[in-house]
Amino acid sequence: MFYSSEPSAFPGLQAAYPRHAAYFQAFAAEGGLIGIGTFDDPAVNGSMGIFSSRERAEQFIAGDPFVLEGLAVPSEIREWNAVTFGPPDAA
């Protein structure tokens, strides 16, 4: 899931971040949030969340303070066929 925001929203994003962080931490504890974060220049490149399913991404978006307060816009949800690796063999 990708988010974008206007550069002018940065002060609002900073102010709302504690609510957003509490929300994503609680959401992650319920399961389905694999990772979340900004790209190198979030005002220009936005941010991304990785979820276990499209449904969990949609649920996240529906309650995220950044979205509810009009500070970030979910630009798209993409399906991702990830290749995962287990821990290296202990030899």
Side-chain angles (χ1 to χ4, degrees):
M1 178 270 306
F2 295 91
Y3 273 175
S4 63
S5 60
E6 294 294 324
S8 62
F10 188 69
L13 290 165
Q14 286 182 305
Y17 184 78
R19 293 185 296 284
H20 173 71
Y23 177 71
F24 74 66
Q25 290 166 356
F27 196 94
E30 294 173 6
L33 173 58
I34 297 167
I36 194 167
T38 61
F39 290 108
D40 57 344
D41 185 354
V44 175
N45 297 321
S47 60
M48 180 176 84
I50 302 172
F51 298 85
S52 60
S53 68
R54 173 177 285 276
E55 292 75 25
R56 288 301 280 159
E58 290 169 348
Q59 291 168 355
F60 182 85
I61 290 167
D64 185 3
F66 279 179
V67 175
L68 296 176
E69 296 176 29
L71 300 167
V73 176
S75 57
E76 65 182 302
I77 298 174
R78 293 185 193 172
E79 298 291 330
W80 184 39
N81 297 316
V83 175
T84 58
F85 303 91
D89 293 335

